[in-house]
């Protein structure tokens, strides 16, 4: 049996494995997914996880539960030598080992792209993992608790100042959601007022959300400004050491939460392979999702999809002729990739990937949203409902959809759950503080 190795269990990897399970005949191939995490994260829900409107566990899909016949290995692929068709797997505990394969599927995804700005690596949060989103929520709720017992002044201002860097979809969505969460929390803290909270979004370009029209992006800025949030356009972050924000426009303020959403890059594992990469470090693919050399020749037995790859956008959209890294493409590419691999095993020619973007929808906090499709633009409550409907149905697996919709329905009647588990990052603190310890042995004279 040919061995198919899928590197990464995110959107593209998960859906590729799902299609292979459905379409492969018994004994036709052996499929293995390697990922250090036991679940796939539905990343469009991360802003709502950060705001407490989606539970963290409901925004992930457990791989072992939903991949019935696929081998799931909890490890990292740290190197690939396609010349010998071996991959190095490194588990969290134990020694690395070599894994032999016949076909490799590169769906390693992307990581947060950062710049060497002082203070960012030491104190900022990204927004690529469920753990980051949950930690952001806990930080916000903890800061309200701390600020509620402080007098007005610099210490309280710092705790209630929240900063997001990056004005793309992810940045604007988490910015709007956190503003919504803060407004909900204020109702529970009589010692704090709306004017005590400060929200700043820093964007290097002269506009936000390039996926929507300029008119729509201006409406978003106005909507957020009316809700007490400030967007700094044409502004670069120059320093964030110890939470002290300094910008290229000369502004300076202190913050206790920095969320970095200024771009992504292909997973670094690709650098440790002999696979064909393009200038941005992504796996170079043809529209049929097979790897290609710089000259356009097919690299046998190498396939890919998702954010770690450069796939030609045959619809004429995209950036520099390539599909942009988002969930829409990753999911659809993964489904086609599974079909193409099955077809290739049976001697069929692979189909080319084609998807024309039907529009963009974003949530900006409860009751606020935008939708853009061509010249059609919908704003406000209706767009927010469209956002929830689309992503609720797009969430993989019906048992996950039910959990998400169920939580939304419950929250409609009893309001959002604003409880943060403040001690989650150090769960043993109380136990350690009061635990009995052996007495020191008496010293003999």
């Amino acid at each position: 049996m040919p061995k198919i190795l899928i590197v990464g269990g995110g959107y593209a990897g998960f859906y590729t494995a799902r299609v292979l399970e459905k379409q492969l005949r018994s004994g036709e191939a052996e499929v293995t997914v390697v990922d250090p995490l036991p679940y796939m994260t539905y990343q469009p829900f991360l802003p709502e996880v950060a705001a407490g409107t989606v539970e963290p566990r409901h925004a992930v899909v457990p791989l072992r539960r939903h991949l019935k016949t696929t081998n799931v290995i909890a490890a990292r692929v740290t190197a690939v030598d396609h010349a010998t068709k071996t991959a190095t797997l490194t588990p969290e505990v134990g020694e690395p080992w070599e894994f032999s394969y016949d076909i490799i599927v590169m769906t390693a995804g992307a990581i947060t792209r950062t710049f060497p700005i002082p203070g960012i690596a030491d104190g900022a949060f990204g927004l690529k993992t469920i753990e980051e989103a949950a930690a952001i929520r806990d930080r916000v709720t903890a800061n309200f608790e701390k600020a509620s017992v402080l007098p007005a002044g610099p210490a309280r201002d710092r705790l209630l100042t929240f900063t997001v860097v990056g004005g793309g979809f992810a940045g604007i969505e988490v910015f709007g959601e956190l503003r919504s969460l803060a407004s909900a929390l204020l109702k529970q803290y009589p010692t704090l007022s709306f004017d005590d909270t400060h929200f700043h979004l820093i964007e290097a370009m002269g506009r936000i959300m390039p996926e929507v029209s300029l008119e729509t992006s201006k409406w978003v800025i106005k909507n957020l400004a009316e809700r007490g949030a400030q967007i700094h356009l044409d502004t670069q972050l120059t320093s964030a050491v110890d939470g002290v924000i300094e910008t290229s426009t000369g502004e300076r303020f202190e913050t206790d939460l920095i969320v970095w959403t200024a771009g992504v890059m292909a997973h670094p594992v690709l650098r440790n392979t002999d696979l064909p990469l393009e200038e941005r470090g992504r796996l170079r693919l043809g529209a049929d999702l097979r790897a290609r050399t710089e000259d356009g020749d097919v690299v046998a037995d190498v396939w890919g999809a998702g954010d770690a790859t450069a796939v030609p956008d045959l619809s004429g959209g995209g950036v520099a002729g390539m599909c942009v890294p988002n969930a829409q493409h990753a999911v659809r590419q993964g489904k086609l990739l599974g079909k193409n691999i099955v077809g290739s095993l049976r001697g069929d020619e692979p189909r080319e990937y084609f998807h024309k973007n039907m529009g963009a929808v974003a949530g900006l906090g409860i009751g606020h949203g935008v939708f853009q499709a061509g010249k059609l633009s919908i704003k406000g409550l209706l767009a927010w409902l469209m956002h929830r409907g689309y992503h609720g149905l797009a969430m993989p697996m019906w048992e996950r959809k039910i959990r998400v919709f169920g939580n939304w329905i419950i929250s409609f009647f009893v309001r959002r759950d604003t409880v943060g588990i403040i001690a989650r990052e150090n769960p043993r603190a109380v136990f350690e503080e009061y635990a009995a310890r052996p007495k020191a042995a008496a010293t003999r004279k």
Side-chain angles (χ1 to χ4, degrees), residues 56 74 81 124 130 191 193 232 243-244 265 335 345 379 425:
D81 183 359
I130 199 70
T191 60
S193 69
H232 307 263
V244 179
M265 60 183 289
K335 292 179 179 179
L345 292 174
K379 311 174 185 72
E425 292 184 11

Side-chain angles (χ1 to χ4, degrees), residues 370-381:
V370 291
F371 170 79
Q372 182 87 46
K375 295 182 179 180
L376 174 64
S377 178
I378 300 174
K379 311 174 185 72
L381 177 61

